Amino acid sequence: MGSVTSFFKSNVRQYGMVIALLFIMVFFQILTGGILFKPMNVTNLVLQNSYVLILGVGMLLCIVTGNVDLSVGSVVAFVGAVSAVLMIDMGLPVPLGVTITLLIGLAVGSFHGFFIAFLRIPPFIVTLAGMLIFRGLTMVILKGQTKAPFDKSIQNIAAGYLPGDWQIGGLNAIAVLIGILLSIAFVISQLYNRAKKKRYDFEVLPLGLELLKIILVVVAINALTINLAAYNGIPIILIVLFVLISLYTFITKKTVAGRHIYALGGNEKAARLSGVKTQRVMFWVYANMGLLSAIAGLVVAGRLNAATPKAGTGFELDAIAACFIGGASASGGIGTVVGTIVGGLVMGVLNNGMSIMGVSVDWQQTIKGLVLLAAVCFDVYTKSRSSSR
Protein backbone atom coordinates (compact mmCIF):
# COMPACT_ATOMS: atom_id res chain seq x y z
CA MET A 1 0.00 0.00 0.00
CA GLY A 2 2.88 2.28 0.88
CA SER A 3 4.52 1.77 -2.51
CA VAL A 4 1.22 2.52 -4.29
CA THR A 5 0.77 5.75 -2.34
CA SER A 6 4.36 6.70 -3.01
CA PHE A 7 3.90 5.98 -6.71
CA PHE A 8 0.83 8.22 -7.00
CA LYS A 9 2.57 11.01 -5.09
CA SER A 10 5.55 10.95 -7.44
CA ASN A 11 3.34 10.70 -10.59
CA VAL A 12 0.48 12.97 -9.54
CA ARG A 13 1.08 15.27 -12.55
CA GLN A 14 0.81 12.35 -14.99
CA TYR A 15 -2.31 10.66 -13.61
CA GLY A 16 -4.13 13.57 -11.93
CA MET A 17 -5.90 14.76 -15.08
CA VAL A 18 -6.92 11.23 -16.15
CA ILE A 19 -8.69 10.85 -12.79
CA ALA A 20 -10.22 14.32 -13.24
CA LEU A 21 -11.49 13.32 -16.73
CA LEU A 22 -13.13 10.17 -15.34
CA PHE A 23 -14.74 12.23 -12.56
CA ILE A 24 -16.07 14.84 -15.06
CA MET A 25 -17.48 12.10 -17.33
CA VAL A 26 -19.32 10.37 -14.47
CA PHE A 27 -20.48 13.76 -13.15
CA PHE A 28 -22.07 14.76 -16.48
CA GLN A 29 -23.41 11.25 -17.13
CA ILE A 30 -25.44 11.61 -13.93
CA LEU A 31 -26.46 15.25 -14.48
CA THR A 32 -27.54 14.67 -18.10
CA GLY A 33 -29.63 11.63 -17.18
CA GLY A 34 -27.41 9.20 -19.10
CA ILE A 35 -27.32 11.18 -22.37
CA LEU A 36 -23.53 11.75 -22.30
CA PHE A 37 -22.65 8.10 -22.97
CA LYS A 38 -25.39 7.44 -25.52
CA PRO A 39 -23.88 6.09 -28.79
CA MET A 40 -24.89 9.08 -30.93
CA ASN A 41 -23.50 11.55 -28.38
CA VAL A 42 -20.20 9.67 -28.02
CA THR A 43 -19.82 9.76 -31.82
CA ASN A 44 -20.59 13.49 -31.86
CA LEU A 45 -18.04 14.03 -29.08
CA VAL A 46 -15.35 12.48 -31.31
CA LEU A 47 -16.40 14.40 -34.44
CA GLN A 48 -16.78 17.77 -32.69
CA ASN A 49 -13.39 17.70 -30.95
CA SER A 50 -11.24 16.15 -33.66
CA TYR A 51 -9.79 19.48 -34.85
CA VAL A 52 -8.80 20.52 -31.30
CA LEU A 53 -6.99 17.23 -30.75
CA ILE A 54 -5.11 17.53 -34.08
CA LEU A 55 -4.08 21.12 -33.32
CA GLY A 56 -3.27 20.17 -29.72
CA VAL A 57 -0.68 17.60 -30.85
CA GLY A 58 1.22 20.25 -32.83
CA MET A 59 0.72 22.92 -30.19
CA LEU A 60 2.23 20.60 -27.59
CA LEU A 61 5.57 20.64 -29.41
CA CYS A 62 5.49 24.47 -29.50
CA ILE A 63 4.67 24.59 -25.77
CA VAL A 64 7.41 22.08 -24.95
CA THR A 65 9.87 24.55 -26.50
CA GLY A 66 8.48 27.15 -24.07
CA ASN A 67 6.35 29.04 -26.64
CA VAL A 68 2.91 29.01 -28.26
CA ASP A 69 1.48 29.48 -31.75
CA LEU A 70 -1.34 32.04 -31.87
CA SER A 71 -1.88 31.74 -35.63
CA VAL A 72 -3.35 28.23 -35.90
CA GLY A 73 -7.01 29.34 -36.02
CA SER A 74 -6.27 31.77 -38.86
CA VAL A 75 -4.18 29.17 -40.69
CA VAL A 76 -7.09 26.70 -40.43
CA ALA A 77 -9.39 29.28 -42.09
CA PHE A 78 -6.74 30.22 -44.70
CA VAL A 79 -6.10 26.59 -45.65
CA GLY A 80 -9.84 25.96 -45.90
CA ALA A 81 -10.20 28.96 -48.21
CA VAL A 82 -7.30 27.86 -50.43
CA SER A 83 -8.63 24.31 -50.64
CA ALA A 84 -12.05 25.68 -51.65
CA VAL A 85 -10.49 27.72 -54.46
CA LEU A 86 -8.46 24.73 -55.66
CA MET A 87 -11.15 22.06 -55.48
CA ILE A 88 -14.43 23.99 -55.93
CA ASP A 89 -13.50 26.95 -58.17
CA MET A 90 -10.64 25.40 -60.17
CA GLY A 91 -12.01 21.83 -60.09
CA LEU A 92 -8.70 20.15 -59.22
CA PRO A 93 -8.92 16.42 -58.37
CA VAL A 94 -9.24 15.85 -54.61
CA PRO A 95 -5.87 14.05 -54.11
CA LEU A 96 -4.01 16.87 -55.92
CA GLY A 97 -5.99 19.58 -54.09
CA VAL A 98 -5.33 17.96 -50.70
CA THR A 99 -1.60 17.57 -51.45
CA ILE A 100 -1.23 21.23 -52.48
CA THR A 101 -3.23 22.33 -49.42
CA LEU A 102 -0.98 20.36 -47.06
CA LEU A 103 2.13 21.80 -48.74
CA ILE A 104 0.72 25.32 -48.32
CA GLY A 105 0.18 24.60 -44.60
CA LEU A 106 3.78 23.40 -44.35
CA ALA A 107 4.96 26.57 -46.14
CA VAL A 108 2.98 28.77 -43.73
CA GLY A 109 4.54 26.96 -40.73
CA SER A 110 7.99 27.33 -42.31
CA PHE A 111 7.31 31.06 -42.78
CA HIS A 112 6.73 31.39 -39.03
CA GLY A 113 9.63 29.08 -38.22
CA PHE A 114 12.08 31.13 -40.29
CA PHE A 115 11.41 34.36 -38.37
CA ILE A 116 11.36 32.58 -34.99
CA ALA A 117 14.37 30.29 -35.42
CA PHE A 118 16.75 32.24 -37.62
CA LEU A 119 15.84 35.90 -37.03
CA ARG A 120 15.23 35.31 -33.30
CA ILE A 121 11.94 37.24 -33.26
CA PRO A 122 9.78 36.13 -30.28
CA PRO A 123 7.23 33.46 -31.31
CA PHE A 124 4.45 35.41 -29.62
CA ILE A 125 5.04 38.36 -32.00
CA VAL A 126 5.56 36.26 -35.14
CA THR A 127 2.47 34.11 -34.63
CA LEU A 128 0.38 37.12 -33.58
CA ALA A 129 1.37 38.73 -36.88
CA GLY A 130 0.59 35.42 -38.62
CA MET A 131 -2.85 35.40 -37.02
CA LEU A 132 -3.61 38.81 -38.55
CA ILE A 133 -1.96 38.08 -41.91
CA PHE A 134 -3.72 34.79 -42.61
CA ARG A 135 -7.11 35.93 -41.30
CA GLY A 136 -6.81 38.90 -43.65
CA LEU A 137 -5.76 36.70 -46.59
CA THR A 138 -8.72 34.41 -45.88
CA MET A 139 -11.07 37.40 -46.23
CA VAL A 140 -9.29 38.45 -49.45
CA ILE A 141 -9.51 34.97 -51.00
CA LEU A 142 -13.14 34.38 -50.04
CA LYS A 143 -14.17 38.03 -50.56
CA GLY A 144 -16.15 37.75 -47.33
CA GLN A 145 -18.30 34.95 -48.77
CA THR A 146 -18.75 31.24 -48.10
CA LYS A 147 -17.62 28.69 -50.71
CA ALA A 148 -19.43 25.34 -50.92
CA PRO A 149 -19.92 22.43 -51.41
CA PHE A 150 -16.80 20.25 -51.17
CA ASP A 151 -16.49 16.84 -52.79
CA LYS A 152 -18.07 13.98 -50.83
CA SER A 153 -14.63 12.49 -50.09
CA ILE A 154 -13.59 15.68 -48.25
CA GLN A 155 -16.81 15.57 -46.23
CA ASN A 156 -16.09 11.94 -45.36
CA ILE A 157 -12.73 12.84 -43.77
CA ALA A 158 -14.58 14.78 -41.06
CA ALA A 159 -17.95 13.09 -40.88
CA GLY A 160 -17.69 9.72 -42.67
CA TYR A 161 -17.47 6.19 -41.26
CA LEU A 162 -15.54 3.06 -42.14
CA PRO A 163 -17.58 1.13 -44.73
CA GLY A 164 -19.11 -2.27 -43.97
CA ASP A 165 -22.56 -3.52 -43.01
CA TRP A 166 -21.49 -6.76 -41.31
CA GLN A 167 -23.11 -6.91 -37.85
CA ILE A 168 -22.74 -8.92 -34.63
CA GLY A 169 -25.77 -8.80 -32.33
CA GLY A 170 -26.95 -5.56 -33.92
CA LEU A 171 -23.52 -3.93 -33.52
CA ASN A 172 -21.13 -2.84 -36.29
CA ALA A 173 -18.75 -5.81 -36.50
CA ILE A 174 -15.74 -3.81 -37.74
CA ALA A 175 -15.90 -1.49 -34.72
CA VAL A 176 -16.17 -4.44 -32.31
CA LEU A 177 -13.27 -6.23 -34.05
CA ILE A 178 -11.08 -3.10 -33.93
CA GLY A 179 -11.76 -2.80 -30.19
CA ILE A 180 -10.65 -6.41 -29.61
CA LEU A 181 -7.50 -6.03 -31.74
CA LEU A 182 -6.54 -2.76 -30.00
CA SER A 183 -7.04 -4.42 -26.60
CA ILE A 184 -4.77 -7.34 -27.53
CA ALA A 185 -2.13 -4.94 -28.92
CA PHE A 186 -2.27 -2.81 -25.77
CA VAL A 187 -1.90 -5.80 -23.40
CA ILE A 188 1.06 -7.18 -25.37
CA SER A 189 2.80 -3.76 -25.54
CA GLN A 190 2.36 -3.17 -21.79
CA LEU A 191 3.70 -6.60 -20.84
CA TYR A 192 6.61 -6.23 -23.28
CA ASN A 193 7.51 -2.76 -21.93
CA ARG A 194 7.34 -4.01 -18.35
CA ALA A 195 9.64 -6.93 -19.09
CA LYS A 196 12.04 -4.61 -20.95
CA LYS A 197 12.18 -2.12 -18.06
CA LYS A 198 12.78 -4.87 -15.51
CA ARG A 199 15.56 -6.27 -17.67
CA TYR A 200 17.41 -2.94 -17.42
CA ASP A 201 16.48 -2.38 -13.72
CA PHE A 202 14.20 0.61 -14.41
CA GLU A 203 11.37 1.43 -12.03
CA VAL A 204 8.06 -0.28 -12.90
CA LEU A 205 4.54 -0.07 -11.52
CA PRO A 206 3.63 -2.47 -8.71
CA LEU A 207 2.20 -5.62 -10.39
CA GLY A 208 -1.32 -5.14 -8.98
CA LEU A 209 -1.40 -1.54 -10.18
CA GLU A 210 -0.09 -2.53 -13.61
CA LEU A 211 -2.86 -5.14 -13.99
CA LEU A 212 -5.48 -2.64 -12.80
CA LYS A 213 -4.23 -0.10 -15.36
CA ILE A 214 -4.38 -2.69 -18.18
CA ILE A 215 -7.91 -3.77 -17.20
CA LEU A 216 -9.18 -0.16 -17.01
CA VAL A 217 -7.69 0.77 -20.41
CA VAL A 218 -9.04 -2.40 -22.07
CA VAL A 219 -12.50 -1.69 -20.61
CA ALA A 220 -12.26 1.94 -21.84
CA ILE A 221 -11.21 0.87 -25.38
CA ASN A 222 -14.04 -1.65 -25.71
CA ALA A 223 -16.63 0.64 -24.12
CA LEU A 224 -15.74 3.27 -26.74
CA THR A 225 -15.76 0.90 -29.73
CA ILE A 226 -19.00 -0.83 -28.65
CA ASN A 227 -20.61 2.58 -28.18
CA LEU A 228 -19.49 3.59 -31.68
CA ALA A 229 -20.60 0.19 -33.04
CA ALA A 230 -24.11 0.82 -31.70
CA TYR A 231 -24.38 3.94 -33.88
CA ASN A 232 -22.69 4.15 -37.30
CA GLY A 233 -19.36 2.42 -36.58
CA ILE A 234 -15.85 3.89 -36.53
CA PRO A 235 -15.59 7.52 -37.78
CA ILE A 236 -12.80 7.97 -40.34
CA ILE A 237 -11.49 10.98 -38.41
CA LEU A 238 -10.90 8.67 -35.41
CA ILE A 239 -8.53 6.60 -37.59
CA VAL A 240 -6.71 9.83 -38.61
CA LEU A 241 -6.44 10.83 -34.94
CA PHE A 242 -5.17 7.38 -33.93
CA VAL A 243 -2.44 7.51 -36.60
CA LEU A 244 -1.38 11.06 -35.58
CA ILE A 245 -1.36 10.25 -31.85
CA SER A 246 0.65 7.06 -32.39
CA LEU A 247 3.11 8.80 -34.73
CA TYR A 248 3.74 11.81 -32.48
CA THR A 249 3.91 9.68 -29.32
CA PHE A 250 6.61 7.63 -31.04
CA ILE A 251 8.47 10.76 -32.22
CA THR A 252 8.40 12.47 -28.81
CA LYS A 253 9.29 9.37 -26.79
CA LYS A 254 11.50 7.22 -28.99
CA THR A 255 13.42 9.43 -31.42
CA VAL A 256 16.42 11.73 -31.21
CA ALA A 257 14.35 14.55 -32.74
CA GLY A 258 11.83 14.24 -29.89
CA ARG A 259 14.55 14.36 -27.24
CA HIS A 260 16.02 17.46 -28.88
CA ILE A 261 12.66 19.27 -28.61
CA TYR A 262 12.45 18.50 -24.87
CA ALA A 263 16.11 19.45 -24.39
CA LEU A 264 15.48 22.78 -26.14
CA GLY A 265 12.48 23.50 -23.93
CA GLY A 266 14.25 22.44 -20.74
CA ASN A 267 17.33 24.64 -21.20
CA GLU A 268 18.08 26.10 -24.64
CA LYS A 269 21.65 27.15 -23.83
CA ALA A 270 22.56 23.78 -22.34
CA ALA A 271 20.96 22.01 -25.32
CA ARG A 272 22.98 24.13 -27.76
CA LEU A 273 26.23 23.48 -25.88
CA SER A 274 25.39 19.76 -25.96
CA GLY A 275 25.31 19.82 -29.75
CA VAL A 276 21.59 20.20 -30.38
CA LYS A 277 20.96 22.38 -33.44
CA THR A 278 18.38 24.49 -31.62
CA GLN A 279 17.58 26.79 -34.54
CA ARG A 280 16.78 23.85 -36.79
CA VAL A 281 14.67 22.18 -34.09
CA MET A 282 12.66 25.37 -33.51
CA PHE A 283 12.14 25.81 -37.27
CA TRP A 284 10.74 22.30 -37.73
CA VAL A 285 8.48 22.56 -34.67
CA TYR A 286 6.68 25.53 -36.24
CA ALA A 287 6.74 24.05 -39.76
CA ASN A 288 5.10 20.94 -38.28
CA MET A 289 2.47 23.13 -36.60
CA GLY A 290 1.62 24.58 -40.01
CA LEU A 291 1.21 21.09 -41.50
CA LEU A 292 -1.10 19.95 -38.69
CA SER A 293 -3.07 23.21 -39.01
CA ALA A 294 -3.59 22.33 -42.68
CA ILE A 295 -4.91 18.87 -41.74
CA ALA A 296 -7.23 20.48 -39.17
CA GLY A 297 -8.28 23.03 -41.82
CA LEU A 298 -9.34 20.25 -44.20
CA VAL A 299 -11.23 18.52 -41.37
CA VAL A 300 -13.09 21.73 -40.48
CA ALA A 301 -13.86 22.46 -44.15
CA GLY A 302 -15.15 18.89 -44.55
CA ARG A 303 -17.26 19.09 -41.41
CA LEU A 304 -18.83 22.42 -42.42
CA ASN A 305 -18.89 21.32 -46.08
CA ALA A 306 -17.80 24.90 -46.79
CA ALA A 307 -14.95 27.40 -46.41
CA THR A 308 -16.02 30.42 -44.38
CA PRO A 309 -14.16 33.62 -43.37
CA LYS A 310 -14.89 32.97 -39.66
CA ALA A 311 -13.72 29.34 -39.60
CA GLY A 312 -11.13 28.56 -36.94
CA THR A 313 -11.97 31.51 -34.69
CA GLY A 314 -10.65 30.76 -31.19
CA PHE A 315 -9.16 27.38 -32.18
CA GLU A 316 -5.69 28.43 -30.97
CA LEU A 317 -7.06 28.99 -27.47
CA ASP A 318 -8.73 25.57 -27.41
CA ALA A 319 -5.49 23.88 -28.49
CA ILE A 320 -3.38 25.78 -25.94
CA ALA A 321 -5.89 25.00 -23.17
CA ALA A 322 -5.86 21.28 -24.09
CA CYS A 323 -2.06 21.19 -23.71
CA PHE A 324 -1.97 22.98 -20.34
CA ILE A 325 -4.91 21.03 -18.90
CA GLY A 326 -3.16 17.86 -20.07
CA GLY A 327 -0.08 18.61 -17.98
CA ALA A 328 2.23 20.60 -20.29
CA SER A 329 4.37 23.09 -18.41
CA ALA A 330 4.03 26.81 -19.16
CA SER A 331 7.81 27.15 -18.83
CA GLY A 332 8.53 24.41 -21.42
CA GLY A 333 10.32 21.06 -21.36
CA ILE A 334 7.36 19.06 -20.00
CA GLY A 335 4.26 17.60 -21.66
CA THR A 336 3.03 14.48 -23.46
CA VAL A 337 0.86 13.79 -26.50
CA VAL A 338 -1.42 11.50 -24.47
CA GLY A 339 -1.74 14.18 -21.78
CA THR A 340 -2.80 16.69 -24.45
CA ILE A 341 -5.46 14.28 -25.73
CA VAL A 342 -6.76 13.89 -22.17
CA GLY A 343 -6.79 17.68 -21.80
CA GLY A 344 -8.68 18.05 -25.09
CA LEU A 345 -11.22 15.46 -23.95
CA VAL A 346 -11.71 17.30 -20.64
CA MET A 347 -12.58 20.45 -22.61
CA GLY A 348 -14.76 18.46 -25.02
CA VAL A 349 -16.74 16.68 -22.29
CA LEU A 350 -17.20 19.98 -20.43
CA ASN A 351 -18.51 21.63 -23.63
CA ASN A 352 -20.75 18.72 -24.52
CA GLY A 353 -22.09 18.11 -21.00
CA MET A 354 -22.89 21.77 -20.38
CA SER A 355 -24.55 22.12 -23.81
CA ILE A 356 -26.81 19.11 -23.08
CA MET A 357 -27.71 20.68 -19.72
CA GLY A 358 -28.57 23.95 -21.46
CA VAL A 359 -25.87 26.03 -19.71
CA SER A 360 -25.45 29.35 -21.53
CA VAL A 361 -22.33 30.04 -23.62
CA ASP A 362 -21.27 32.80 -21.18
CA TRP A 363 -21.18 30.39 -18.25
CA GLN A 364 -19.54 27.69 -20.36
CA GLN A 365 -16.62 30.03 -21.13
CA THR A 366 -16.37 31.06 -17.46
CA ILE A 367 -16.23 27.45 -16.27
CA LYS A 368 -13.69 26.45 -18.93
CA GLY A 369 -11.53 29.43 -17.93
CA LEU A 370 -11.63 28.35 -14.29
CA VAL A 371 -10.67 24.77 -15.27
CA LEU A 372 -7.70 26.09 -17.27
CA LEU A 373 -6.59 28.29 -14.36
CA ALA A 374 -6.90 25.35 -11.95
CA ALA A 375 -4.79 23.16 -14.27
CA VAL A 376 -1.98 25.74 -14.45
CA CYS A 377 -2.09 26.26 -10.66
CA PHE A 378 -1.84 22.48 -10.26
CA ASP A 379 1.20 22.48 -12.57
CA VAL A 380 2.90 25.23 -10.55
CA TYR A 381 2.08 23.44 -7.28
CA THR A 382 3.44 20.04 -8.38
CA LYS A 383 6.55 21.67 -9.81
CA SER A 384 7.29 23.59 -6.60
CA ARG A 385 6.79 20.39 -4.59
CA SER A 386 9.16 18.38 -6.77
CA SER A 387 11.82 21.11 -6.69
CA SER A 388 11.63 21.38 -2.88
CA ARG A 389 12.39 17.66 -2.41
Side-chain angles (χ1 to χ4, degrees):
M1 187 66 190
S3 61
V4 173
T5 308
S6 166
F7 172 81
F8 271 113
K9 280 184 178 176
S10 57
N11 293 277
V12 64
R13 181 201 291 264
Q14 186 177 354
Y15 292 99
M17 201 45 65
V18 176
I19 295 169
L21 174 61
L22 292 174
F23 173 79
I24 291 169
M25 291 170 84
V26 172
F27 179 73
F28 279 113
Q29 173 70 359
I30 295 169
L31 288 186
T32 59
I35 295 176
L36 188 77
F37 287 156
K38 282 194 171 177
M40 188 173 75
N41 194 54
V42 171
T43 303
N44 283 337
L45 203 56
V46 172
L47 299 180
Q48 287 169 359
N49 293 285
S50 54
Y51 67 86
V52 175
L53 302 181
I54 293 171
L55 291 174
V57 171
M59 188 66 76
L60 172 74
L61 301 186
C62 298
I63 289 176
V64 166
T65 66
N67 304 293
V68 293
D69 188 336
L70 297 176
S71 70
V72 294
S74 297
V75 177
V76 164
F78 175 69
V79 165
V82 171
S83 65
V85 170
L86 292 173
M87 290 185 270
I88 297 175
D89 289 354
M90 298 173 64
L92 286 187
V94 171
L96 181 59
V98 168
T99 304
I100 294 174
T101 302
L102 294 179
L103 289 175
I104 288 173
L106 186 64
V108 168
S110 302
F111 172 78
H112 292 145
F114 172 77
F115 287 98
I116 293 167
F118 299 113
L119 299 187
R120 307 296 293 174
I121 297 175
F124 179 83
I125 304 296
V126 173
T127 57
L128 183 62
M131 181 172 75
L132 298 172
I133 292 168
F134 293 106
R135 182 62 67 184
L137 287 176
T138 304
M139 299 291 282
V140 170
I141 292 171
L142 293 177
K143 298 182 176 66
Q145 299 175 336
T146 297
K147 284 189 185 295
F150 278 95
D151 187 86
K152 188 72 179 170
S153 56
I154 295 292
Q155 297 176 44
N156 282 340
I157 294 173
Y161 299 86
L162 288 185
D165 296 327
W166 182 35
Q167 295 212 333
I168 300 175
L171 299 173
N172 183 291
I174 293 176
V176 175
L177 191 62
I178 286 177
I180 294 170
L181 291 175
L182 283 177
S183 301
I184 293 170
F186 179 75
V187 171
I188 292 173
S189 70
Q190 290 299 300
L191 295 178
Y192 173 77
N193 285 336
R194 182 181 177 84
K196 191 176 174 184
K197 284 181 179 176
K198 287 185 80 171
R199 193 161 60 244
Y200 292 106
D201 289 330
F202 286 130
E203 185 184 4
V204 294
L205 282 173
L207 182 60
L209 210 56
E210 184 90 57
L211 292 174
L212 179 64
K213 175 184 161 188
I214 290 174
I215 290 169
L216 287 177
V217 173
V218 168
V219 168
I221 290 172
N222 287 281
L224 173 65
T225 51
I226 287 174
N227 232 315
L228 296 174
Y231 189 53
N232 282 339
I234 301 288
I236 291 173
I237 190 62
L238 191 60
I239 304 293
V240 175
L241 275 171
F242 179 76
V243 170
L244 287 176
I245 293 166
S246 303
L247 176 65
Y248 281 88
T249 300
F250 175 77
I251 290 172
T252 51
K253 284 191 170 182
K254 303 287 185 185
T255 67
V256 174
R259 293 190 192 99
H260 283 180
I261 295 171
Y262 282 95
L264 170 62
N267 188 325
E268 182 175 356
K269 187 176 179 183
R272 190 166 56 247
L273 292 173
S274 302
V276 176
K277 298 186 185 307
T278 53
Q279 286 182 318
R280 194 179 297 175
V281 173
M282 189 70 89
F283 175 82
W284 282 114
V285 164
Y286 279 89
N288 172 71
M289 185 72 254
L291 178 63
L292 288 178
S293 298
I295 295 174
L298 286 170
V299 171
V300 172
R303 182 165 174 74
L304 298 174
N305 192 22
T308 68
K310 295 295 181 187
T313 303
F315 282 14
E316 59 279 348
L317 302 181
D318 288 337
I320 291 169
C323 295
F324 286 136
I325 291 173
S329 172
S331 53
I334 296 173
T336 62
V337 173
V338 174
T340 298
I341 299 305
V342 172
L345 290 176
V346 167
M347 295 285 286
V349 173
L350 278 173
N351 274 331
N352 188 266
M354 288 190 288
S355 296
I356 294 171
M357 290 172 62
V359 177
S360 69
V361 175
D362 305 340
W363 277 108
Q364 285 189 29
Q365 297 212 350
T366 305
I367 291 168
K368 284 192 293 181
L370 289 172
V371 170
L372 176 60
L373 187 61
V376 175
C377 289
F378 182 69
D379 169 56
V380 173
Y381 171 71
T382 53
K383 190 181 288 181
S384 63
R385 275 194 63 189
S386 59
S387 61
S388 63
R389 282 175 188 160

